Amino acid sequence: MRVVVAGATGAVGRLLVPLLLEAGHQVTGISRTLAGAEQVRRQGASAVQVDVLDRDGLRQAVAMAAPEVVIHQLTDLSDADGEATDRLRRDGTRNLVDAARSAGVERIVAQSISWAYAPGESPADETVPLDLGAAGPRGAMVEGVRSLEETAAEMDVAVLLRYGILYGPGTWYAPGGAVAAALAGDSEVRFLGSIEADLSVMSFVHVADAARAAVSALNWPAGPVNIVDDEPAQAREWLPVLAAALGLPAPEASSGRQSWARGASNALARSRGWKPRHTTWRSGFAAQRP
């Protein structure tokens, strides 16, 4: 299968490209930098340097690749700029879908998130609506997710992978990453998350498991699918385990909770044959011990 990967050098994309090649697919990776395109070529795939916000350049790149499917792994999180990521979800997805449809592509697999659900007490499944009434920065984030998913759904088949919090190589939660710096007391470090050990519940997924899900999703039916591990957990549970794995002190436990922080269920993904190799963040965090 001919596959275009947009965001081929991100935390998921860099693991996804070799998995696709290993599965026998013909891969073209898109990167906005020359260094990124060269990285993709070193992995054995074709590459094109283009910014997805360059509407005409992207359309030309996708047309030349003539893919049968497009995989959307676009993020803009290196500077923890939520507005930039919201723009990429909105405008970048718009350009990518238009380019794909112009090239006759019928299927897209797109990266979304699993913590945009409306508030509740139990882990959310895919029938729970998005938290469209949220205020402030969260409201802008959820609106970006809504725009991404609705735009992707204009394709004949759109599989929307609602990833949990990504950890592992290249993420904020890796050794030497932003979360480690915050736990070490660096007040200047930026990341879109929290190190408050409260009762808020989140779901995680290792980047390698996220990449494997994207390969599997090439053959899945349309719709959203939570891609998370088996153990949603309160921050007061997972933060001490992460801190210990990073060799850093854990923050003191607190009793607050964000009402939307409910975690997510992976029952649908498992029913389609996907199973996380890191079934829980407990072993996953320990495996990335520096």
Side-chain angles (χ1 to χ4, degrees), residues 24-254:
H25 300 293
Q26 181 180 326
V27 182
T28 299
I30 291 176
S31 175
R32 63 182 171 184
T33 68
L34 178 59
E38 291 175 347
Q39 176 184 325
V40 172
R41 293 188 185 99
R42 287 194 298 270
Q43 291 181 311
S46 300
V48 60
Q49 179 190 355
V50 64
D51 191 325
V52 296
L53 297 178
D54 176 0
R55 182 178 178 84
D56 293 337
L58 181 63
R59 183 173 295 221
Q60 181 179 6
V62 173
M64 290 180 64
E68 297 165 85
V69 61
V70 167
I71 299 182
H72 176 332
Q73 294 287 347
L74 297 165
T75 59
D76 192 358
L77 295 171
S78 58
D79 295 322
D81 187 338
E83 292 183 2
T85 295
D86 293 340
R87 183 188 179 200
L88 199 59
R89 287 174 175 149
R90 182 183 65 249
D91 299 341
T93 304
R94 175 79 273 161
N95 292 344
L96 186 61
V97 166
D98 287 350
R101 296 181 70 188
S102 177
V105 182
E106 297 180 349
R107 174 178 287 267
I108 189 170
V109 175
Q111 177 184 146
S112 188
I113 58 175
S114 68
W115 61 95
Y117 288 112
E121 295 299 322
S122 59
D125 65 21
E126 294 80 359
T127 66
V128 174
L130 298 179
D131 191 12
L132 296 176
R138 176 167 172 80
M141 179 201 71
V142 176
E143 177 60 26
V145 170
R146 182 205 60 78
S147 178
L148 181 157
E149 294 191 351
E150 289 187 357
T151 301
E154 295 174 12
M155 302 285 288
D156 291 352
V157 180
V159 185
L160 309 169
L161 302 179
R162 291 177 174 171
Y163 288 149
I165 294 178
L166 294 167
Y167 71 97
T171 72
W172 289 330
Y173 293 80
V179 174
L183 288 170
D186 184 350
S187 60
E188 300 299 320
V189 69
R190 295 183 60 189
F191 68 99
L192 301 178
S194 171
I195 57 167
E196 185 173 354
D198 61 10
L199 301 176
S200 297
V201 176
M202 299 302 292
S203 286
F204 286 87
V205 66
H206 193 282
V207 283
D209 285 324
R212 289 176 49 247
V215 178
S216 297
L218 292 174
N219 298 307
W220 287 355
V225 189
N226 293 332
I227 303 298
V228 298
D229 72 16
D230 294 346
E231 189 178 1
Q234 296 175 350
R236 65 194 304 169
E237 294 179 86
W238 64 259
L239 257 173
V241 177
L242 176 63
L246 297 173
L248 294 165
E252 293 186 6
S254 64

